[in-house]
Amino acid sequence: SSGINAEYGDQETPYLVQCDPSGAYFAWKATAMGKNHVNGKTFLEKRYNADLELEDAVHTAILTLKEGFEGQMTEDNIEIGICTGDGFRKLNRTEIKDYLAALN
């Protein structure tokens, strides 16, 4: 199966690395995978830019998830991680709930 890793590069720039089952890998600044990944990538192409502040990037990620999400999106059924020069951290449920509330 395919997978995506969040990494922090030599140039102090976070990026995503997608590896597919054949072993091929691709570096992305923003990407989507899974069901409706084409719609997600199209959405990101329109909304993503390198100057996004962290808050806007998280909102963009949630909106991208909503593009292909079936049912109600809650803090119980999504996870969000943030990769910075300080490392990787997963948002807790309260933080995710606050982000979701801000979008409604």
Side-chain angles (χ1 to χ4, degrees), residues 44-101:
L44 285 168
E45 286 173 3
K46 293 177 184 174
R47 303 276 310 241
Y48 176 83
N49 72 65
D51 297 325
L52 281 177
E53 296 291 328
L54 179 60
E55 299 292 315
D56 294 330
V58 172
H59 286 135
T60 299
I62 292 171
L63 291 171
T64 303
L65 281 172
K66 280 187 172 187
E67 284 290 300
F69 202 85
E70 294 179 10
Q72 176 79 20
M73 186 180 295
T74 72
E75 68 276 10
D76 296 320
N77 58 18
I78 67 168
E79 293 181 338
I80 299 171
I82 297 174
C83 183
T84 68
D86 296 328
F88 178 85
R89 84 174 184 92
K90 193 170 92 170
L91 297 183
N92 63 44
R93 291 171 38 147
T94 302
E95 291 171 308
I96 293 172
K97 185 175 183 177
D98 291 345
Y99 276 111
L100 291 170

